[in-house]
Coordinates of all heavy atoms in Angstrom, one line a residue:
R173 N -16.8 -51.7 22.0 CA -17.6 -52.9 22.3 C -17.6 -53.7 20.9 O -17.7 -53.0 19.8 CB -19.0 -52.7 22.8 CG -19.0 -52.6 24.3 CD -20.4 -52.1 24.7 NE -20.7 -50.6 24.5 CZ -21.7 -50.2 23.8 NH1 -22.6 -51.1 23.4 NH2 -21.8 -48.9 23.6
P174 N -17.9 -55.0 21.0 CA -17.8 -55.8 19.7 C -18.9 -55.2 18.8 O -18.6 -55.0 17.6 CB -18.3 -57.1 20.2 CG -17.8 -57.2 21.6 CD -18.0 -55.8 22.2
S175 N -20.1 -55.0 19.2 CA -21.2 -54.5 18.3 C -21.4 -53.0 18.7 O -22.1 -52.6 19.5 CB -22.5 -55.3 18.6 OG -23.6 -54.6 18.0
D176 N -20.7 -52.1 17.8 CA -20.7 -50.7 18.2 C -21.8 -50.0 17.4 O -21.6 -49.2 16.5 CB -19.3 -50.1 17.8 CG -18.9 -49.0 18.7 OD1 -19.8 -48.5 19.4 OD2 -17.7 -48.7 18.7
D177 N -23.0 -50.1 17.9 CA -24.2 -49.5 17.2 C -24.6 -48.2 17.9 O -25.7 -47.6 17.5 CB -25.3 -50.5 17.2 CG -25.7 -51.0 18.5 OD1 -25.1 -50.5 19.5 OD2 -26.6 -51.9 18.6
D178 N -23.7 -47.6 18.7 CA -24.1 -46.3 19.3 C -23.0 -45.2 19.1 O -22.9 -44.4 19.8 CB -24.4 -46.4 20.8 CG -23.1 -46.9 21.6 OD1 -22.1 -47.2 20.9 OD2 -23.2 -46.9 22.8
D179 N -22.3 -45.3 17.9 CA -21.3 -44.5 17.6 C -21.9 -43.1 17.1 O -22.6 -43.0 16.2 CB -20.5 -45.0 16.4 CG -19.2 -44.2 16.1 OD1 -19.2 -43.0 16.6 OD2 -18.3 -44.7 15.6
T180 N -21.6 -42.0 17.8 CA -22.2 -40.7 17.5 C -21.3 -39.8 16.8 O -21.5 -38.6 16.6 CB -22.7 -40.0 18.8 OG1 -21.5 -39.9 19.7 CG2 -23.7 -40.7 19.5
S181 N -20.1 -40.3 16.3 CA -19.2 -39.5 15.6 C -19.8 -38.9 14.3 O -20.7 -39.5 13.7 CB -18.0 -40.4 15.2 OG -17.5 -41.0 16.3
V182 N -19.3 -37.8 13.9 CA -19.7 -37.1 12.7 C -18.5 -36.9 11.8 O -17.5 -36.3 12.3 CB -20.4 -35.8 13.0 CG1 -20.8 -35.0 11.6 CG2 -21.8 -36.0 13.7
V183 N -18.5 -37.3 10.6 CA -17.4 -37.0 9.7 C -17.6 -35.6 8.9 O -18.7 -35.4 8.3 CB -17.3 -38.1 8.7 CG1 -16.2 -37.8 7.6 CG2 -17.0 -39.4 9.3
V184 N -16.7 -34.7 9.1 CA -16.8 -33.4 8.5 C -15.7 -33.2 7.5 O -14.6 -33.8 7.7 CB -16.8 -32.3 9.5 CG1 -18.1 -32.3 10.3 CG2 -15.6 -32.4 10.3
A185 N -16.0 -32.5 6.4 CA -14.9 -32.3 5.4 C -14.0 -31.2 6.0 O -14.4 -30.3 6.7 CB -15.6 -31.7 4.2
T186 N -12.7 -31.4 5.7 CA -11.7 -30.4 6.1 C -10.9 -30.0 4.9 O -10.8 -30.8 3.9 CB -10.8 -31.0 7.2 OG1 -10.1 -32.2 6.6 CG2 -11.5 -31.4 8.4
R187 N -10.2 -28.8 5.0 CA -9.4 -28.5 3.9 C -8.2 -27.8 4.5 O -8.4 -27.1 5.5 CB -10.1 -27.7 2.8 CG -10.4 -26.3 3.1 CD -11.4 -25.7 2.2 NE -12.3 -25.0 3.1 CZ -12.4 -23.7 3.1 NH1 -11.7 -22.9 2.3 NH2 -13.2 -23.1 3.9
P188 N -7.0 -27.9 4.0 CA -5.8 -27.3 4.5 C -6.0 -25.8 4.6 O -6.5 -25.2 3.6 CB -4.7 -27.7 3.6 CG -5.2 -28.7 2.7 CD -6.8 -28.7 2.7
K189 N -5.8 -25.2 5.7 CA -6.0 -23.8 5.9 C -4.7 -23.0 5.6 O -3.9 -23.0 6.5 CB -6.5 -23.5 7.3 CG -7.1 -22.0 7.5 CD -7.8 -21.8 8.8 CE -6.8 -21.5 9.9 NZ -7.5 -21.3 11.2
T190 N -4.6 -22.5 4.5 CA -3.4 -21.7 4.1 C -3.9 -20.2 3.8 O -3.8 -19.8 2.7 CB -2.7 -22.3 2.9 OG1 -3.6 -22.3 1.8 CG2 -2.2 -23.7 3.2
K191 N -4.3 -19.6 4.9 CA -4.7 -18.2 4.7 C -3.5 -17.2 4.5 O -2.7 -17.2 5.4 CB -5.6 -17.8 5.9 CG -6.7 -16.8 5.5 CD -7.8 -16.6 6.5 CE -7.2 -15.6 7.6 NZ -8.2 -15.4 8.7
R192 N -3.5 -16.5 3.4 CA -2.5 -15.5 3.2 C -2.8 -14.3 3.9 O -3.9 -13.9 4.0 CB -2.4 -15.3 1.7 CG -1.9 -16.5 0.9 CD -2.6 -16.5 -0.5 NE -4.0 -16.5 -0.4 CZ -4.9 -16.0 -1.3 NH1 -4.4 -15.6 -2.4 NH2 -6.2 -16.1 -1.0
P193 N -1.7 -13.6 4.3 CA -2.0 -12.3 5.0 C -2.6 -11.3 4.0 O -2.3 -11.4 2.9 CB -0.6 -11.8 5.5 CG 0.3 -12.6 4.6 CD -0.3 -13.9 4.2
P194 N -3.5 -10.4 4.5 CA -4.0 -9.4 3.6 C -2.9 -8.4 3.0 O -1.9 -8.2 3.7 CB -5.0 -8.6 4.4 CG -4.5 -8.9 5.8 CD -3.9 -10.2 5.9
L195 N -3.1 -7.9 1.8 CA -2.3 -6.9 1.2 C -2.9 -5.5 1.3 O -4.1 -5.5 1.4 CB -2.0 -7.3 -0.2 CG -1.1 -8.6 -0.4 CD1 -1.0 -9.1 -1.8 CD2 0.2 -8.5 0.2
Y196 N -2.1 -4.6 1.2 CA -2.5 -3.2 1.4 C -1.9 -2.3 0.2 O -0.8 -2.4 0.0 CB -2.0 -2.6 2.7 CG -2.8 -3.3 3.9 CD1 -2.4 -4.5 4.4 CD2 -3.9 -2.6 4.4 CE1 -3.0 -5.2 5.4 CE2 -4.5 -3.3 5.4 CZ -4.1 -4.5 5.9 OH -4.9 -5.1 6.9
K197 N -2.8 -1.5 -0.4 CA -2.5 -0.6 -1.5 C -1.9 0.6 -0.8 O -2.6 1.2 0.2 CB -3.6 -0.2 -2.3 CG -4.2 -1.4 -3.0 CD -5.4 -1.0 -3.9 CE -6.6 -0.8 -3.1 NZ -7.9 -0.9 -4.0
V198 N -0.8 1.1 -1.2 CA -0.4 2.4 -0.8 C -0.7 3.4 -1.8 O -0.5 3.3 -3.0 CB 1.1 2.4 -0.6 CG1 1.7 3.9 -0.3 CG2 1.6 1.6 0.6
L199 N -1.5 4.5 -1.4 CA -2.0 5.5 -2.4 C -1.3 6.8 -2.1 O -1.0 7.2 -1.1 CB -3.5 5.7 -2.1 CG -4.4 4.4 -2.1 CD1 -5.8 4.8 -1.4 CD2 -4.5 3.8 -3.4
L200 N -1.1 7.5 -3.3 CA -0.6 8.9 -3.2 C -1.6 9.8 -3.7 O -2.4 9.5 -4.7 CB 0.7 9.0 -4.1 CG 1.8 10.0 -3.8 CD1 2.2 9.8 -2.5 CD2 2.8 10.0 -4.9
L201 N -1.9 10.9 -3.0 CA -2.9 11.8 -3.3 C -2.4 13.1 -3.9 O -1.3 13.6 -3.5 CB -3.7 12.2 -2.0 CG -4.8 11.1 -1.6 CD1 -4.2 9.8 -1.4 CD2 -5.4 11.6 -0.2
N202 N -3.2 13.7 -4.8 CA -2.8 14.9 -5.4 C -3.1 16.1 -4.5 O -3.9 16.0 -3.6 CB -3.6 15.2 -6.7 CG -3.1 16.3 -7.5 OD1 -1.9 16.5 -7.6 ND2 -4.1 17.1 -8.1
D203 N -2.3 17.1 -4.7 CA -2.6 18.4 -4.0 C -2.2 19.6 -5.0 O -1.5 19.2 -6.1 CB -1.9 18.6 -2.7 CG -0.4 18.6 -2.8 OD1 0.1 19.6 -3.2 OD2 0.2 17.5 -2.4
D204 N -2.4 20.8 -4.6 CA -2.1 21.9 -5.6 C -0.7 22.5 -5.4 O -0.2 23.4 -6.1 CB -3.0 23.0 -5.4 CG -4.5 22.7 -5.8 OD1 -4.6 21.7 -6.7 OD2 -5.4 23.3 -5.5
Y205 N 0.0 22.0 -4.3 CA 1.3 22.7 -3.9 C 2.6 21.9 -4.0 O 3.7 22.5 -4.3 CB 1.1 23.2 -2.4 CG -0.1 24.1 -2.3 CD1 -1.2 23.6 -1.7 CD2 -0.1 25.4 -2.7 CE1 -2.4 24.4 -1.5 CE2 -1.2 26.2 -2.7 CZ -2.3 25.7 -2.0 OH -3.5 26.5 -1.9
T206 N 2.5 20.6 -3.8 CA 3.8 19.8 -3.9 C 4.3 19.8 -5.2 O 3.6 19.5 -6.2 CB 3.5 18.3 -3.5 OG1 2.9 18.4 -2.1 CG2 4.8 17.6 -3.4
P207 N 5.6 20.2 -5.4 CA 6.2 20.3 -6.8 C 6.2 18.8 -7.4 O 6.4 17.9 -6.7 CB 7.6 20.7 -6.5 CG 7.6 21.4 -5.1 CD 6.6 20.6 -4.3
M208 N 6.0 18.9 -8.7 CA 6.0 17.6 -9.4 C 7.4 16.9 -9.2 O 7.4 15.6 -9.1 CB 5.8 17.8 -11.0 CG 4.3 18.3 -11.3 SD 4.1 18.5 -13.0 CE 2.3 18.7 -13.1
E209 N 8.5 17.6 -9.2 CA 9.8 17.0 -9.1 C 9.9 16.3 -7.8 O 10.6 15.3 -7.7 CB 10.9 18.0 -9.4 CG 10.7 18.9 -10.5 CD 9.7 20.0 -10.2 OE1 10.0 20.7 -9.3 OE2 8.6 20.1 -11.0
F210 N 9.3 16.9 -6.7 CA 9.4 16.3 -5.4 C 8.7 15.0 -5.4 O 9.2 14.0 -4.8 CB 8.8 17.3 -4.4 CG 9.0 16.7 -3.0 CD1 10.2 16.9 -2.2 CD2 7.9 16.0 -2.3 CE1 10.3 16.4 -1.0 CE2 8.0 15.6 -1.1 CZ 9.2 15.7 -0.4
V211 N 7.5 14.8 -6.0 CA 6.8 13.7 -6.1 C 7.5 12.6 -6.8 O 7.6 11.3 -6.5 CB 5.4 13.8 -6.8 CG1 4.6 12.5 -6.9 CG2 4.6 14.9 -5.9
V212 N 8.1 13.0 -7.9 CA 9.0 12.0 -8.7 C 10.1 11.5 -7.8 O 10.4 10.3 -7.9 CB 9.5 12.7 -10.0 CG1 10.5 11.9 -10.7 CG2 8.4 13.0 -11.0
A213 N 10.7 12.3 -7.1 CA 11.8 11.9 -6.2 C 11.4 11.0 -5.1 O 12.0 10.0 -4.8 CB 12.5 13.2 -5.6
V214 N 10.2 11.3 -4.6 CA 9.5 10.4 -3.6 C 9.3 9.0 -4.2 O 9.6 8.0 -3.5 CB 8.3 10.9 -3.1 CG1 7.4 9.8 -2.4 CG2 8.5 12.1 -2.2
L215 N 8.8 8.9 -5.4 CA 8.5 7.6 -6.0 C 9.7 6.8 -6.3 O 9.8 5.6 -6.2 CB 7.7 7.8 -7.2 CG 6.3 8.3 -6.9 CD1 5.5 8.7 -8.2 CD2 5.4 7.3 -6.1
E216 N 10.9 7.5 -6.7 CA 12.2 6.9 -7.0 C 12.7 6.4 -5.7 O 13.2 5.3 -5.6 CB 13.1 8.0 -7.6 CG 12.7 8.3 -9.1 CD 13.6 9.4 -9.6 OE1 14.1 10.3 -8.8 OE2 13.8 9.4 -10.8
R217 N 12.8 7.2 -4.6 CA 13.4 7.0 -3.4 C 12.8 5.9 -2.6 O 13.5 5.0 -2.0 CB 13.5 8.3 -2.5 CG 14.1 8.1 -1.1 CD 14.0 9.3 -0.3 NE 15.0 10.4 -0.8 CZ 16.0 10.8 -0.1 NH1 16.2 10.4 1.2 NH2 16.8 11.8 -0.6
F218 N 11.4 5.9 -2.4 CA 10.8 5.0 -1.5 C 10.1 3.8 -2.2 O 9.6 2.9 -1.5 CB 9.8 5.8 -0.6 CG 10.5 6.8 0.2 CD1 10.2 8.2 0.0 CD2 11.3 6.4 1.2 CE1 10.8 9.1 0.8 CE2 11.9 7.4 2.0 CZ 11.6 8.7 1.8
F219 N 9.9 3.9 -3.5 CA 9.2 2.9 -4.2 C 10.0 2.2 -5.4 O 9.5 1.4 -6.1 CB 7.8 3.4 -4.7 CG 6.9 3.8 -3.6 CD1 6.9 5.1 -3.2 CD2 6.1 2.8 -2.9 CE1 6.1 5.5 -2.1 CE2 5.3 3.3 -1.8 CZ 5.4 4.6 -1.4
G220 N 11.2 2.6 -5.4 CA 12.2 1.9 -6.4 C 11.8 2.1 -7.8 O 12.3 1.2 -8.6
M221 N 11.2 3.1 -8.2 CA 10.7 3.4 -9.5 C 11.9 4.0 -10.3 O 12.7 4.8 -9.7 CB 9.5 4.3 -9.6 CG 8.3 3.6 -9.0 SD 6.8 4.6 -9.3 CE 5.7 3.8 -8.2
T222 N 12.0 3.8 -11.6 CA 12.9 4.6 -12.4 C 12.3 5.9 -12.6 O 11.1 6.1 -12.2 CB 12.9 3.9 -13.9 OG1 11.7 4.1 -14.5 CG2 13.4 2.4 -13.7
H223 N 13.1 6.9 -13.1 CA 12.6 8.2 -13.2 C 11.4 8.3 -14.2 O 10.5 9.0 -13.9 CB 13.7 9.0 -13.9 CG 13.5 10.6 -13.8 ND1 13.5 11.3 -12.6 CD2 13.0 11.4 -14.8 CE1 13.2 12.5 -12.9 NE2 12.8 12.7 -14.2
S224 N 11.5 7.4 -15.3 CA 10.4 7.4 -16.2 C 9.1 6.8 -15.6 O 8.0 7.5 -15.8 CB 10.9 6.6 -17.5 OG 9.8 6.3 -18.3
Q225 N 9.1 5.8 -14.9 CA 8.0 5.2 -14.2 C 7.4 6.2 -13.3 O 6.2 6.4 -13.1 CB 8.4 4.0 -13.4 CG 8.7 2.7 -14.2 CD 9.3 1.5 -13.2 OE1 10.0 1.8 -12.3 NE2 8.9 0.3 -13.5
A226 N 8.4 6.8 -12.4 CA 8.0 7.8 -11.4 C 7.2 9.0 -12.0 O 6.2 9.4 -11.5 CB 9.1 8.2 -10.6
F227 N 7.8 9.4 -13.2 CA 7.1 10.6 -13.8 C 5.7 10.3 -14.3 O 4.8 11.0 -14.1 CB 8.0 11.1 -15.0 CG 7.6 12.4 -15.5 CD1 8.2 13.6 -14.9 CD2 6.7 12.6 -16.5 CE1 7.9 14.8 -15.3 CE2 6.3 13.9 -16.9 CZ 6.9 15.0 -16.4
D228 N 5.6 9.0 -14.9 CA 4.2 8.6 -15.3 C 3.2 8.5 -14.2 O 2.1 9.0 -14.3 CB 4.3 7.2 -16.0 CG 4.9 7.3 -17.4 OD1 5.2 8.5 -17.9 OD2 5.1 6.2 -18.0
I229 N 3.6 7.9 -13.1 CA 2.7 7.8 -11.9 C 2.4 9.1 -11.3 O 1.3 9.4 -11.0 CB 3.3 6.8 -10.8 CG1 3.6 5.4 -11.4 CG2 2.5 6.8 -9.7 CD1 2.4 4.6 -11.6
M230 N 3.4 10.0 -11.2 CA 3.1 11.4 -10.7 C 2.0 12.0 -11.6 O 1.2 12.7 -11.0 CB 4.4 12.2 -10.7 CG 4.4 13.6 -10.2 SD 3.8 14.7 -11.4 CE 5.0 14.6 -12.7
L231 N 2.3 11.9 -12.9 CA 1.2 12.6 -13.8 C -0.2 12.0 -13.7 O -1.2 12.7 -13.7 CB 1.7 12.4 -15.3 CG 2.6 13.6 -15.8 CD1 2.6 13.4 -17.4 CD2 2.0 14.9 -15.5
T232 N -0.2 10.6 -13.4 CA -1.5 10.0 -13.2 C -2.1 10.6 -11.9 O -3.4 11.0 -11.9 CB -1.3 8.5 -13.1 OG1 -0.8 7.9 -14.2 CG2 -2.7 7.8 -12.7
V233 N -1.4 10.7 -10.8 CA -1.9 11.4 -9.7 C -2.4 12.8 -9.9 O -3.4 13.2 -9.4 CB -0.9 11.3 -8.5 CG1 -1.5 12.0 -7.2 CG2 -0.4 9.8 -8.2
H234 N -1.5 13.5 -10.5 CA -1.8 14.9 -10.9 C -3.1 15.1 -11.7 O -3.9 16.0 -11.4 CB -0.7 15.5 -11.7 CG -0.9 16.9 -12.1 ND1 -0.9 17.9 -11.3 CD2 -1.0 17.4 -13.3 CE1 -1.1 19.1 -11.9 NE2 -1.2 18.8 -13.2
K235 N -3.4 14.2 -12.5 CA -4.6 14.3 -13.5 C -5.8 13.6 -12.8 O -6.9 14.1 -13.0 CB -4.3 13.5 -14.8 CG -3.4 14.4 -15.7 CD -3.3 13.8 -17.1 CE -1.9 13.3 -17.4 NZ -1.8 12.8 -18.8
K236 N -5.6 12.4 -12.1 CA -6.8 11.7 -11.6 C -7.1 11.9 -10.1 O -8.1 11.6 -9.7 CB -6.6 10.2 -11.9 CG -6.4 9.9 -13.3 CD -6.7 8.5 -13.7 CE -6.8 8.3 -15.2 NZ -7.3 7.0 -15.7
G237 N -6.1 12.4 -9.4 CA -6.3 12.7 -8.0 C -5.7 11.8 -7.1 O -5.4 12.1 -6.0
V238 N -5.5 10.6 -7.5 CA -4.9 9.5 -6.7 C -4.5 8.4 -7.6 O -5.0 8.2 -8.7 CB -6.1 9.0 -5.7 CG1 -7.2 8.4 -6.4 CG2 -5.5 8.0 -4.7
A239 N -3.5 7.6 -7.1 CA -3.0 6.4 -7.7 C -2.4 5.5 -6.7 O -1.9 5.9 -5.7 CB -2.0 6.8 -8.9
V240 N -2.5 4.2 -7.0 CA -1.8 3.2 -6.2 C -0.3 3.2 -6.6 O 0.0 3.1 -7.9 CB -2.4 1.8 -6.5 CG1 -1.6 0.7 -5.8 CG2 -3.9 1.7 -6.2
V241 N 0.5 3.3 -5.7 CA 2.0 3.4 -6.0 C 2.7 2.1 -5.6 O 3.9 1.9 -5.8 CB 2.6 4.6 -5.4 CG1 2.1 5.8 -5.9 CG2 2.5 4.6 -3.8
G242 N 2.0 1.2 -4.9 CA 2.5 -0.1 -4.6 C 1.5 -0.9 -3.7 O 0.6 -0.4 -3.2
V243 N 1.7 -2.2 -3.6 CA 1.0 -3.1 -2.8 C 1.8 -3.9 -2.0 O 2.9 -4.6 -2.4 CB 0.1 -4.1 -3.7 CG1 -0.7 -5.1 -2.9 CG2 -0.8 -3.3 -4.6
F244 N 1.6 -4.0 -0.6 CA 2.6 -4.5 0.4 C 1.9 -5.2 1.5 O 0.7 -5.0 1.7 CB 3.5 -3.4 0.9 CG 4.1 -2.5 -0.1 CD1 3.6 -1.3 -0.5 CD2 5.3 -2.9 -0.7 CE1 4.1 -0.5 -1.4 CE2 6.0 -2.1 -1.6 CZ 5.4 -0.9 -2.0
S245 N 2.6 -5.9 2.3 CA 2.1 -6.4 3.6 C 1.8 -5.2 4.5 O 2.2 -4.1 4.1 CB 3.2 -7.2 4.3 OG 4.2 -6.4 4.7
H246 N 1.0 -5.5 5.5 CA 0.6 -4.3 6.4 C 1.8 -3.6 7.0 O 1.8 -2.4 6.9 CB -0.3 -4.9 7.5 CG -0.9 -3.9 8.4 ND1 -0.3 -3.3 9.5 CD2 -2.1 -3.1 8.3 CE1 -1.1 -2.3 10.0 NE2 -2.1 -2.2 9.3
E247 N 2.8 -4.2 7.4 CA 3.9 -3.6 8.1 C 4.7 -2.8 7.0 O 5.1 -1.7 7.4 CB 4.8 -4.7 8.7 CG 6.0 -4.1 9.5 CD 6.8 -5.2 10.3 OE1 6.2 -6.3 10.5 OE2 7.9 -4.9 10.6
I248 N 4.9 -3.4 5.8 CA 5.7 -2.6 4.8 C 5.0 -1.4 4.4 O 5.5 -0.4 4.2 CB 6.1 -3.5 3.7 CG1 6.9 -4.8 4.1 CG2 6.8 -2.8 2.6 CD1 8.3 -4.5 4.6
A249 N 3.6 -1.6 4.2 CA 2.8 -0.5 3.8 C 2.9 0.7 4.8 O 3.0 1.9 4.4 CB 1.4 -0.9 3.5
E250 N 2.8 0.4 6.0 CA 2.8 1.3 7.1 C 4.1 2.0 7.1 O 4.2 3.3 7.3 CB 2.6 0.7 8.5 CG 1.2 0.5 8.9 CD 1.1 0.2 10.4 OE1 2.0 -0.3 11.0 OE2 0.0 0.6 11.0
T251 N 5.2 1.3 6.9 CA 6.6 1.9 6.8 C 6.7 2.9 5.7 O 7.2 4.0 5.8 CB 7.6 0.8 6.7 OG1 7.6 0.0 7.9 CG2 9.0 1.5 6.6
K252 N 6.2 2.5 4.5 CA 6.2 3.3 3.3 C 5.5 4.6 3.5 O 6.0 5.7 3.2 CB 5.6 2.6 2.1 CG 6.3 1.4 1.7 CD 7.6 1.6 1.0 CE 8.3 0.3 0.5 NZ 9.7 0.6 0.1
V253 N 4.2 4.5 4.1 CA 3.4 5.7 4.3 C 4.1 6.7 5.3 O 4.2 7.8 5.1 CB 2.0 5.3 4.9 CG1 1.3 6.5 5.4 CG2 1.3 4.5 3.8
A254 N 4.7 6.1 6.4 CA 5.4 6.9 7.4 C 6.6 7.6 6.8 O 6.8 8.7 7.0 CB 5.8 6.0 8.5
Q255 N 7.3 6.8 5.9 CA 8.5 7.4 5.3 C 8.2 8.6 4.4 O 8.8 9.7 4.5 CB 9.3 6.3 4.4 CG 10.0 5.4 5.3 CD 10.6 4.2 4.4 OE1 10.1 3.8 3.4 NE2 11.8 3.7 4.9
V256 N 7.1 8.4 3.6 CA 6.7 9.4 2.7 C 6.2 10.7 3.5 O 6.5 11.8 3.1 CB 5.6 8.9 1.7 CG1 5.1 10.1 0.9 CG2 6.1 7.8 0.8
M257 N 5.3 10.4 4.4 CA 4.7 11.5 5.2 C 5.8 12.3 5.9 O 5.8 13.5 6.0 CB 3.6 11.0 6.2 CG 2.4 10.4 5.5 SD 1.5 11.5 4.5 CE 0.7 12.5 5.7
D258 N 6.8 11.6 6.5 CA 7.9 12.2 7.2 C 8.7 13.1 6.2 O 9.1 14.2 6.5 CB 8.7 11.2 7.9 CG 9.8 11.8 8.7 OD1 9.5 12.6 9.7 OD2 11.0 11.5 8.5
F259 N 9.1 12.5 5.0 CA 9.9 13.2 4.0 C 9.2 14.5 3.6 O 9.8 15.5 3.4 CB 10.2 12.2 2.9 CG 11.2 12.6 2.0 CD1 12.6 12.8 2.3 CD2 10.9 12.9 0.6 CE1 13.5 13.2 1.4 CE2 11.9 13.2 -0.3 CZ 13.2 13.5 0.1
A260 N 7.8 14.3 3.3 CA 7.1 15.5 2.8 C 7.0 16.5 3.9 O 7.2 17.8 3.6 CB 5.7 15.1 2.5
R261 N 6.8 16.2 5.1 CA 6.7 17.1 6.3 C 8.1 17.8 6.5 O 8.1 19.1 6.6 CB 6.3 16.4 7.6 CG 6.1 17.3 8.8 CD 6.1 16.5 10.1 NE 7.2 15.6 10.3 CZ 8.4 16.1 10.6 NH1 8.6 17.4 10.8 NH2 9.5 15.3 10.8
R262 N 9.1 17.1 6.4 CA 10.5 17.7 6.6 C 10.8 18.7 5.5 O 11.5 19.7 5.7 CB 11.6 16.6 6.6 CG 11.8 16.1 8.0 CD 12.4 14.7 8.1 NE 13.5 14.5 7.0 CZ 13.7 13.3 6.4 NH1 12.9 12.3 6.7 NH2 14.6 13.2 5.5
H263 N 10.2 18.5 4.3 CA 10.4 19.5 3.2 C 9.2 20.5 3.1 O 9.2 21.2 2.1 CB 10.6 18.7 1.9 CG 11.8 18.0 1.8 ND1 12.0 16.8 2.2 CD2 13.0 18.4 1.2 CE1 13.4 16.4 2.1 NE2 13.9 17.4 1.4
Q264 N 8.3 20.4 4.1 CA 7.2 21.4 4.2 C 6.4 21.3 2.9 O 5.9 22.4 2.5 CB 7.7 22.9 4.4 CG 8.6 22.8 5.7 CD 8.8 24.3 6.2 OE1 8.5 25.2 5.6 NE2 9.5 24.4 7.3
H265 N 6.1 20.1 2.5 CA 5.1 19.9 1.4 C 3.9 19.1 1.9 O 4.0 18.3 2.7 CB 5.7 19.1 0.2 CG 6.8 19.8 -0.5 ND1 6.7 21.1 -1.0 CD2 8.1 19.4 -0.8 CE1 7.9 21.5 -1.5 NE2 8.7 20.5 -1.4
P266 N 2.7 19.5 1.4 CA 1.5 18.9 2.0 C 1.1 17.6 1.4 O 0.0 17.1 1.5 CB 0.4 20.0 1.5 CG 0.9 20.5 0.3 CD 2.4 20.6 0.4
L267 N 2.1 16.9 0.7 CA 1.8 15.7 0.1 C 1.2 14.6 1.0 O 1.7 14.5 2.1 CB 3.2 15.1 -0.5 CG 3.1 13.8 -1.2 CD1 2.3 13.9 -2.5 CD2 4.5 13.3 -1.5
Q268 N 0.1 13.9 0.6 CA -0.4 12.9 1.5 C -0.3 11.5 0.8 O -0.5 11.4 -0.4 CB -1.9 13.3 1.6 CG -2.2 14.6 2.3 CD -1.9 14.5 3.8 OE1 -2.3 13.6 4.5 NE2 -1.1 15.4 4.2
C269 N -0.1 10.6 1.7 CA 0.1 9.2 1.3 C -0.7 8.4 2.4 O -0.5 8.6 3.6 CB 1.6 8.9 1.4 SG 2.0 7.1 0.9
T270 N -1.6 7.4 1.9 CA -2.3 6.6 2.7 C -2.3 5.2 2.2 O -1.7 4.9 1.2 CB -3.8 7.0 2.8 OG1 -4.3 6.9 1.5 CG2 -3.9 8.5 3.3
M271 N -2.9 4.3 3.1 CA -3.0 2.9 2.7 C -4.3 2.4 2.9 O -5.1 2.9 3.7 CB -2.0 2.0 3.5 CG -2.2 2.1 5.0 SD -0.9 1.4 5.9 CE -1.3 -0.4 6.0
E272 N -4.7 1.4 2.1 CA -6.0 0.7 2.3 C -6.0 -0.7 2.0 O -5.1 -1.1 1.0 CB -7.1 1.4 1.5 CG -7.1 1.3 0.0 CD -8.2 2.0 -0.7 OE1 -8.7 3.0 -0.2 OE2 -8.8 1.4 -1.7
R273 N -6.8 -1.6 2.7 CA -6.8 -3.0 2.4 C -7.3 -3.2 1.1 O -8.2 -2.7 0.6 CB -7.7 -3.6 3.6 CG -7.3 -5.0 3.8 CD -8.1 -5.5 4.9 NE -8.2 -6.9 4.8 CZ -8.3 -7.7 5.9 NH1 -8.5 -7.2 7.1 NH2 -8.4 -9.0 5.7
E274 N -6.5 -4.2 0.4 CA -6.9 -4.5 -1.0 C -8.2 -5.3 -1.1 O -8.4 -6.2 -0.1 CB -5.8 -5.4 -1.6 CG -5.7 -5.2 -3.1 CD -4.4 -5.9 -3.7 OE1 -4.1 -7.0 -3.3 OE2 -3.8 -5.3 -4.5
Ligands
TYC217 N1 -0.5 18.8 -8.5 C1 0.9 19.0 -8.2 C2 1.3 20.3 -9.0 O1 0.7 20.7 -9.9 C3 1.8 17.9 -8.5 C4 1.5 16.7 -7.6 C5 1.4 15.4 -8.3 C6 1.3 16.8 -6.3 C7 1.1 14.3 -7.6 C8 1.0 15.7 -5.5 O2 0.8 13.3 -5.4 C9 1.0 14.4 -6.1 N2 2.4 20.8 -8.6

């Protein structure tokens, strides 16, 4: 209408919604039985580490009990955990690998 004095509209602030997917830490846990060399091989094989990087991370887990070995999308993290758990089981080592939301 010419004289629009009954407009009930409300102006609200908007911002572009660019929500990134959550990331997940993959953790390796220490135990008393898995051989150190096996853990080093796991870190080289599934996490693309050099032997030197893998050895350092393995020692961190051995001394501290746990370490983050990588940060991934949910799907990639799940795959890494499954690969490590399956590889450890096939070699009859009790090595544990888990993931948690960052
Ligand atoms: N603690 C093990 C040992 O002394 C070595 C080890 C390191 C095991 C890291 C698991 O995630 C691990 N043989």
